[in-house]
Structures are given as C-alpha cells and as structure tokens.
C-alpha cells in the first residue's frame, strides 16, 4: 500500500506513513498543535455533512485559509482516496466538491439501496413534511423559520423521495415554493389534500414543550 | 461509567441540568422540591430533619399553590400529607412504637424515602443523558440525499404516521415557540386564595367544632377550591388550630377545631 | 495505510498501485484487476449513502460475506480512520454503523452546518426519558409515579418527537406501554440499550420496584 505515496500528494503519503501511532496527527499541520484538527481532517468533516457540492472558496472562508492552499489539499485528498482504493471519491462537480461513491462500487450500492424494505423518514424530515403539507405552497425560508433550523437539505431529500415538489415561484419574492405530491397523499393514505385533518383539535393542550428554551441555536 | 469522558466535554452545555439549583421556580414536582430542600440543608436523605424540611415544603406550597395545575398540586398534597405525618411521628416520645399508627408512620417514611431515592437515581442518569446528548451533538452524522442515480432505485417511503398523528405533529411543529417564560396563566384562573379559604373554614369549624372534609367543602365551586381548602387546613394544622382524624385509610377525614375562640389571623398568607 | 484493514483485501492494494497519476476516478478503470471492489471499499461506499445506522447483518447480506468478517472489517476501518486522524469517524450507534464527523472537528463543522441541529431537552423531558429508558415497556402511570408528577403531556411530546414510541398495551391493565426508539439511541450515541449506564450504582438495593406497587391508576 505504500505504493500510493508515489502519487501526486506527498502529504497524504506521509500522513499514511505516520498514521499508526498518533491519532490526530496525520492532517496537514497537526503535528505540534494539539487541539485543532488539521486542514485535511477539517475538510473531510465538512464535506462529510455537505449535501451539495461545496465551492473551494466557501471552504476556504469557513477554514480561514487561502483558497489556493485549500484547492491543493482537496486535489491531494481526491488523489489519496483514489490511490488508497477507498469506496468514496472526492469529486469537483458543478463548481464544488462533494463526496461520491466510487464508480466501481456502484453495483454494491445499488444492491444496498434496493435491498432495504420501506425507508423510514427521519424525525426532521417528518416535521418538515408536516410544515409543507399544512402551509403549502411555501418557501424554504418560511419552512426554516417555522422549524427554527435551516431545512434546505431536508427539503432536498423530500423532493428526491417524491414527497414534495416544486410549486413555482413566489410572485413577489421570486422564492421557489414547495407543495406536497400525490405520492405523499398516497403514503399517508388520504384521497386528497382536503382530507388532511384540521389542525385545531391537535393544537397542543396537553402537549408539553420538551425543548429547552435556552438551547443553542 | 459510560459517560464520564463525554460528560466533561458536554459540561458547559448541560450545566443547567447537572446539579440542583435552589431557584425555587425550577421545581417541577414534589420529589424535585424535596430533594432540593434536603440537599440545601446538606442532609443525608435518610436522616432528614423532618420538621424543618416539612415546614419549608409546606411554606413553598402555600406560596405557590395558585400557580400550579391541579395534577401537580395533588401530588404535592400527597407528599405534604406524608411529610406532616412523619413530622408528627417524630414528635412522639421515642421508644413508643408498639402502636399500629406509629408503625404505619414509619412505613410511610420508608416508602417516601425509597421513592425519593429512586427519583434521585433517575435524576442522576437524566443528567448523564443530557451530557451524552450534548457530546453526541458534536458529531454530525452523514445525512445526505442519495446521488440521483441511486435515488430512483429507492423503495417506498414509510411515513410511519397516520393522518391524525401527522396532524398532531404538524400542530406541534407549527406551534409558535413559547417566548421566554413569564407565565400569566394563573392570573386567569379563578382567584381562590388559601387565606380566604382558611378564614371561611375557621368560621365554619368554630361554629360546629368538628366536621368532615366532605362537609367543609360541600359548597366548593370547583376542585381548585377544594385544593385550596385542603392547603388551608394544613396550615391550620401546622398552627395547632385543627386536628385530623381518619378511621380508615382513604376514609372520611374529620377535622376538629382545637384553636382559640378568638379571631384567628393567618399571618403567613398573602392574598394572591 | 493498509494496516488497519488487516490487508484482508489484496485488490485494494493493487487498485492503489494503479492510481498514481490521475486523481479522481482513478480506481474505476484499473485495467488488469478484477471488477469487484474489495470489502473495505464496498463498506465505505454503502455507508456513504446510508442516512441512518446500518446494522452489520444488513451489510453482510448485501455483500454476501459472513457477519463476523464484516464486523471485524468495520471495527478495523473505524480504528484506521482514528489512527489516520481523518475528519470522519465510523461509529456503531443504535444497532448499526454510520459515518459521523470526528468530535474534535465539531467547531469547524458547526461553522459550516446550519441545519439539523437537535434541540436540547428540558429537565422534565430528560427525566421522563430516563424512566422510560430503564423501565421499558412502561405505562404512563408508572412514569408519573416515579417522577412524582403527571407526565402525560411530556410523554406525548416525546412520542411526537420520535424519542419514545408506543409498545402495545399491558396484558393485565390494558394501559398503553412506552419504549424508547432507535432515534433515542442515536441522540445518545449509544449502540444499544444494553449500553445504557448502569442504574444500580445510583440506587440502593431493594428500592427498585417501589413505584410499581404504588403507581396510581
């Protein structure tokens, strides 16, 4: 496996070589400073949770490093993953970087995706879906405002799953609006939107707010 | 312990849950309050200075009774009544525990302490939960929409909720977040003050000497008034103005006037 | 870098060897080698697309390998990522494996992520959750008896928030019973209920069943 250190990125190679011992050490400059993760680790962490390609400049901003340094590191990481034969792949697509599954792993991933039974929605997705269902047509910003957290990623998932769809743009603001689909009704077992139960009886009387008001944003 | 390392890392975020705080407003239940009173006096839970804790507990209830919901108040009453019994038992000359009533009191004490110990245990693991949640929240899971080429292969979505539950969730999600709490609910509940109730009871008891609790509260306008009456009686009891007897557990509770015949002022009460 | 996977997979090595030049996508076309990716790469690819913890058995099924082999590989991968100081981390949570960002990258990730942050729970919610967690399946009345205060509203909200679920009814009393969910385990970062901290040290012996006898109806 040492063979890959002959590749484009010396840093990845040396990181790999030193990996056995230390733990946090392998990143770009982690050596002496104990606490902060290195550039590579930081990029890996961010890209792991990024649900769209992230432009190099955005990464550079978040990490407060020069774009050129970040760009070089990203290229090095991509080469490193390829060299190590990882199942994931870092690609620059549509002006940004994102983790993808490696192409030759596609058959395995397909088997996994189709293998599962029904997929359960996450709690965040259900709540977002509920807001769209009862407030449609509704903009992203509005949904996020209601839930108190940014819902862009969740909305994208709901669109991808066919539960929510584009409903044109707001005449005033130009914001994209969302609505629920007939597939949503089908999954909920309702003939039409008119059959969504009224909210009034469910407005919390005996429900307690279990969220801490002092919670972090 | 499992959370020891995580706990320290999450400590800043969970400080509010970690220890008892003697801001009286934070108590949610009677066990909460009792534990806090006990820990405030740095007492071993098994050797509580009962009379002191009882007094403070009752004092706290009478201050706040009008601000709670009925459920909470009833629970408080159960604990208060138990505490009062215990306090009474403690006043008995020691060594006289042949009496069945005394034994019952001892049992009640053990039971109350057992429950308190149990509650304290859950409170402690709840603090561990909070620390673990805070630590877990520092690790973000990968939660990214599938690459489009795979997304179309996905099987059906399972909502896992029926229309009614979905509506309930929507109501909860859409509910405006409560503004920082200044509860004004109690302002709109019928204003029944404990001291007012006490005055009324004193009048009735002076007249008849002895009456059942049922009789005393026969004309109560609602359960709130009954609760207030009971609290008033506890106060009167604390001031040696009445005595209680109850032949069987959960049986009729009789109240006997033992106070002076003069005008009784309830100095500790404020009308609220 | 091979060290962590125990070199179980020779193919990974050869993929690496051929990767030197190109960077992205280099693994796909590694001419001479056989098509199928190795176990580690396959697991990495699958876990990259999973949006909830994936049980070892499911992975074993999809990959048609023995569970024990898959489990060993996963543990090796997790150790490897830690040793290499990666920004991501493979964790066993709620009965399955999932990619997470590494804890010491939290400040960086928080700067980047604006959604999906979970609300912090109130003291009342936490205590109720604790009682349910240790006594499940458990009725409302018992939870209320343990806490000394009515918990109906809190329980209902915990159910709606997906932390607690209905667990059928008590055969004798007909009372609805409650249990914790796998989302609860995720929130705590625990592999399973068996990993809950032991309650015994907090509890004098013979106390445990007090509330049962005295639970009010």
């Amino acid at each position: 496996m040492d063979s890959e250190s002959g590749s484009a990125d010396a840093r990845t190679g040396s990181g790999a070589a030193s990996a056995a011992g230390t733990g946090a050490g392998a990143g770009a400059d982690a050596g002496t400073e104990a606490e902060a993760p290195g550039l590579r680790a930081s990029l890996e962490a961010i890209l792991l949770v990024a649900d769209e390609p992230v432009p190099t400049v955005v990464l550079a901003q978040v990490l407060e490093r020069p774009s050129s340094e970040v760009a070089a590191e990203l290229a090095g990481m991509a080469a490193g993953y390829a060299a190590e034969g990882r199942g994931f792949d870092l690609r620059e697509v549509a002006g940004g970087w994102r983790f993808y599954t490696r192409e030759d792993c596609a058959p395995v991933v397909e088997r996994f995706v189709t293998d599962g039974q029904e997929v359960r929605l996450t709690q965040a997705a259900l709540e977002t879906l509920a807001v769209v269902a009862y407030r449609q047509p509704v903009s992203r910003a509005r949904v996020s405002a209601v839930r108190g957290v940014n819902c862009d990623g969740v909305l994208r998932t709901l669109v991808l799953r066919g539960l929510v769809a584009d409903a044109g743009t707001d005449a005033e603001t130009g914001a994209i609006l969302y609505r629920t689909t007939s597939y949503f009704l089908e999954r909920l077992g309702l003939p039409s939107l008119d059959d969504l139960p009224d909210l009034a009886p469910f407005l919390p009387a005996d429900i307690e707010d279990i969220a801490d008001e002092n919670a972090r944003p | 312990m499992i959370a020891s390392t995580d706990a320290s890392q999450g400590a800043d975020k969970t400080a509010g849950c970690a220890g008892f705080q003697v801001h009286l407003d934070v108590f949610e239940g009677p066990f909460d309050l009792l534990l806090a009173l006990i820990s405030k006096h740095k007492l071993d839970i098994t050797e509580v200075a009962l009379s002191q804790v009882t007094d403070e507990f009752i004092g706290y209830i009478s201050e706040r009774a009008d601000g709670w919901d009925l459920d909470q108040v009833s629970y408080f009453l159960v604990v208060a009544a138990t505490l009062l019994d215990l306090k009474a038992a403690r006043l008995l000359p020691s060594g006289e525990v042949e009496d069945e009533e005394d034994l019952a009191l001892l049992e009640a004490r053990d039971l109350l302490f057992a429950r308190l110990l149990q509650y304290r245990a859950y409170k402690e693991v709840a603090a561990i939960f909070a620390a673990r949640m805070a630590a877990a929240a520092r690790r973000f899971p990968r939660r990214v929409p599938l690459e489009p080429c795979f997304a179309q292969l996905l099987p059906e979505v399972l909502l896992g909720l029926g229309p009614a539950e979905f509506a309930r969730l929507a109501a909860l999600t859409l509910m405006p977040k409560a503004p920082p709490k200044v509860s004004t609910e109690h302002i709109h509940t019928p204003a029944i003050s404990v001291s007012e109730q006490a005055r009324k009871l004193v009048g009735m008891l002076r007249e008849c000497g002895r009456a059942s609790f049922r009789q005393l509260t026969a004309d109560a306008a609602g359960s709130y008034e009954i609760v207030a009456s009971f609290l008033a009686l506890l106060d009167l009891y604390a001031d040696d103005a009445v005595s209680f007897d109850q032949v069987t557990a959960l049986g009729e509770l009789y109240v006997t006037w033992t106070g002076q015949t003069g005008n009784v002022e309830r100095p500790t009460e404020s009308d609220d």
Side-chain angles (χ1 to χ4, degrees), chain A, chain B:
Chain A
M1 176 60 76
D2 265 338
S3 48
E4 97 273 18
S5 51
S7 73
D9 183 36
R11 188 174 290 129
T12 307
S14 64
S18 72
T22 54
D29 51 2
T32 49
E33 60 188 42
E35 325 79 15
L39 180 55
R40 189 194 66 184
S42 299
L43 288 168
E44 284 178 333
I46 291 174
L47 290 168
L48 187 79
V49 296
D51 55 13
E52 295 189 299
V54 190
T56 310
V57 283
V58 172
L59 292 167
Q61 252 165 22
V62 170
L63 296 174
E64 294 167 348
R65 301 280 189 115
S67 273
S68 56
E69 185 188 348
V70 172
E73 185 71 29
L74 288 164
M77 286 159 62
Y81 298 144
E84 294 153 21
R86 301 267 166 206
F88 45 79
D89 190 6
L90 190 57
R91 271 184 248 160
E92 191 174 15
V93 169
W97 293 84
R98 185 193 197 271
F99 274 121
Y100 290 89
T101 51
R102 187 169 301 283
E103 231 167 276
D104 60 1
C105 293
V108 171
V109 176
E110 276 170 25
R111 217 179 311 150
F112 170 73
V113 170
T114 52
D115 185 67
Q117 310 76 15
E118 292 184 305
V119 178
R120 144 187 97 82
L121 285 187
T122 62
Q123 190 64 25
L126 275 175
E127 289 177 15
T128 306
L129 188 58
V131 177
V132 175
Y134 279 91
R135 289 286 182 268
Q136 57 188 307
V138 64
S139 69
R140 271 189 212 186
R142 178 104 191 271
V143 176
S144 298
V146 169
R147 286 201 56 230
V149 292
N150 183 310
C151 299
D152 294 4
V154 182
L155 268 172
R156 258 191 296 277
T157 302
L158 291 173
V159 170
L160 201 64
R161 301 311 316 265
L163 291 161
V164 161
D166 199 313
T169 54
D170 187 290
E172 275 178 43
T173 65
I176 301 174
L177 299 174
Y178 293 91
R179 59 171 177 84
T180 55
T181 61
S182 58
Y183 179 62
F184 159 75
L185 289 173
E186 187 192 306
R187 297 312 291 167
L188 199 59
L190 290 179
S192 82
L193 277 181
D194 296 335
D195 299 293
L196 269 181
D198 274 346
L199 280 189
F202 298 106
L203 286 173
D206 62 343
I207 285 180
E208 294 195 14
D209 200 351
I210 59 166
D212 193 335
E213 296 300 336
N214 303 315
R216 61 212 183 109
Chain B
M1 170 170 329
I2 187 158
S4 54
T5 54
D6 291 340
S8 59
Q9 278 147 337
D12 54 337
K13 285 180 180 156
T14 55
C17 314
F20 297 115
Q21 300 193 337
V22 194
H23 305 143
L24 292 184
D25 288 346
V26 305
F27 299 118
E28 207 225 356
F31 294 168
D32 223 6
L33 176 57
L34 262 187
L35 277 180
L37 290 176
I38 288 167
S39 73
K40 185 176 99 185
H41 295 295
K42 301 192 166 50
L43 297 170
D44 186 312
I45 197 168
T46 53
E47 290 178 23
V48 183
L50 272 172
S51 48
Q52 199 176 358
V53 171
T54 308
D55 287 346
E56 286 193 31
F57 190 82
I58 304 278
Y60 182 68
I61 293 176
S62 48
E63 255 174 53
R64 282 290 308 276
D66 289 355
W68 289 330
D69 70 54
L70 186 58
D71 255 319
Q72 276 193 343
V73 174
S74 346
Y75 254 147
F76 269 93
L77 286 181
V78 172
V79 173
T82 314
L83 272 174
L84 269 184
D85 269 354
L86 302 180
K87 182 179 173 183
R90 201 167 175 277
L91 299 175
L92 291 173
S94 55
E96 287 180 31
V97 284
E98 305 86 33
D99 199 331
E100 266 190 37
E101 275 185 41
D102 300 345
L103 284 175
L105 288 175
L106 288 176
E107 246 172 58
R109 189 194 67 180
D110 289 347
L111 197 58
L112 182 66
F113 286 160
R115 285 176 160 206
L116 270 181
L117 287 169
Q118 178 183 251
Y119 173 67
R120 189 175 59 176
Y122 284 111
K123 217 175 155 59
E124 281 171 33
V125 294
I128 295 176
F129 279 19
R132 284 204 66 93
M133 284 184 171
R138 292 171 57 75
R139 298 183 291 257
F140 296 79
R142 177 149 170 101
R143 177 164 40 197
V144 167
L146 271 183
E147 294 158 45
C149 59
F150 298 123
Q152 62 201 17
L153 301 172
L154 279 175
E156 300 276 16
V157 177
L158 180 67
L159 292 190
L161 295 177
E165 288 125 322
F166 187 74
R168 201 186 286 275
L169 179 67
L172 180 71
T173 309
L174 291 165
M175 174 179 60
K177 304 284 174 276
K181 269 185 204 153
V182 179
S183 169
T184 53
E185 264 173 52
H186 58 283
I187 292 173
H188 305 294
T189 55
I192 300 167
S193 87
V194 175
S195 53
E196 191 182 303
Q197 239 20 57
R199 270 193 291 276
K200 206 166 117 189
L201 288 168
V202 167
M204 290 165 82
L205 283 167
R206 263 216 216 102
E207 219 165 273
C208 61
R210 182 171 188 268
S212 72
F213 185 67
R214 195 188 303 276
Q215 287 166 333
L216 289 172
T217 55
D219 63 343
S223 17
Y224 233 92
E225 201 171 320
I226 298 177
V227 170
S229 295
F230 193 86
L231 289 171
L233 283 174
L234 290 179
D235 274 327
L236 292 170
Y237 181 90
D239 294 349
D240 293 329
V242 297
S243 68
F244 298 120
D245 54 294
Q246 189 174 30
V247 181
T248 56
L250 303 178
E252 200 81 44
L253 173 70
Y254 287 96
V255 186
T256 307
W257 178 252
T258 60
Q260 288 92 11
T261 44
N263 194 23
V264 175
E265 278 303 321
R266 304 282 308 111
T268 56
E269 288 299 314
S270 61
D271 279 33
D272 44 6

